Amino acid sequence: MDLSVELFGNLLINPIFTASGCFACGREAAAYQDLKAWGGLVSTAITREKRLGNPGPRVCETASGLLNSVGLQNPGIDYFLMYDLPFMLEETNTTIVNVAGSVTEDYVYLCEKLDGTDIFAIELNLSCPNVKHGGMAIGTHYDLLESTVAACRNVSSKPLIAKLTPNITDITEAAKAAEAGGADAISLVNTFLGMAIDLKTRRPVLKNNTGGLSGPCIKPLALRMVADVYRSVSIPVIGLGGITSGKDVLEFMLAGASAVQVGSANFAHPHIIDSLRKEMEQEMRELEISSLDAWIGSLNYWKS
């Protein structure tokens, strides 16, 4: 089966990427699987300076999903460029670098540093719910979202992917703001803000009190947002949120996603991307889909 898709004028071997934060920069995963069998790898969020992240506990399993409050732990852009990026470029077919900051200037600085590299694209993390400044604070204000993307557009020739938060009244307005600022694609959704409570201590389980909820429980919400955004902008959409099967991938693509990212499922099944690819091929045979181009965005809505 032909699983290839086109994104930013480039042909990808398949549409399945890892989501940011799941495999750091891929070194651990490369020890036991071929990263070039993936559509691509998205780095953990990279910031200007080294970040230690939030204090623990910062991960909590829930009934149908995962709460995390890692807090963007990473080695900083200079270390990343020297040690991690060369590895990613060598070991993966498609490298996307996720960047995060507290203010617009941080994103601009990071985009400038990455502009001369051979990466495929930059993903602007405008949606992290686990930091006090930046991230979701930018993504929930449309004017600031647009101006931040525009400032990055001015200094970077790389494709820019705006990663949006679902913790917002109207996801389509945020997507339109990102497109107006010059984004080349939209990725959604990031995690939903949630909480878990320990009855014995009468405290939240996470030391940060709240965290981002991901996993199968958010799939219907993410799927609806991908469908809404696909119909609201003219740039590609990358879908993520609760994907655990090849059927899920095809559902997101039917709703309008040109590619997908897989997050929490990697922690339960580290080889899941290979499984998803095989499951997609089987589903495509049963549905008599010869290629994905005509499938993307072909959802038939009921007439109201």
Side-chain angles (χ1 to χ4, degrees), residues 4-39:
S4 63
V5 293
E6 184 177 314
L7 190 62
F8 310 139
N10 295 276
L11 194 66
L12 309 179
I13 62 170
N14 66 67
I16 308 171
F17 287 74
T18 59
S20 177
C22 295
F23 281 116
C25 295
R27 291 185 187 275
E28 295 83 359
Y32 57 88
Q33 53 186 309
D34 180 13
L35 306 191
K36 290 189 176 180
W38 301 353

Side-chain angles (χ1 to χ4, degrees), residues 175 178-179 183-186 229-230 233-237:
E179 182 180 34
D184 298 286
I186 303 294
V229 168
Y230 174 75
V233 299
S234 59
I235 55 179
V237 177

Side-chain angles (χ1 to χ4, degrees), residues 166-236:
N167 302 295
I168 198 167
T169 303
D170 188 346
I171 194 72
T172 63
E173 291 302 315
K176 291 175 184 176
E179 182 180 34
D184 298 286
I186 303 294
S187 62
L188 69 154
V189 297
N190 207 323
T191 55
F192 288 77
L193 193 61
M195 176 185 284
I197 292 175
D198 186 329
L199 292 179
K200 292 181 179 178
T201 63
R202 291 189 291 176
R203 290 182 181 274
V205 174
L206 300 177
K207 192 67 174 289
N208 196 51
N209 295 318
T210 60
L213 179 66
S214 58
C217 55
I218 75 168
K219 180 197 159 191
L221 303 171
L223 201 59
R224 189 270 299 174
M225 291 185 175
V226 166
D228 286 350
V229 168
Y230 174 75
R231 294 184 293 167
S232 301
V233 299
S234 59
I235 55 179

Side-chain angles (χ1 to χ4, degrees), residues 257-274:
S258 295
V260 301
Q261 295 178 10
V262 181
S264 298
N266 290 293
F267 298 114
H269 307 288
H271 288 275
I272 194 167
I273 293 183
D274 292 332

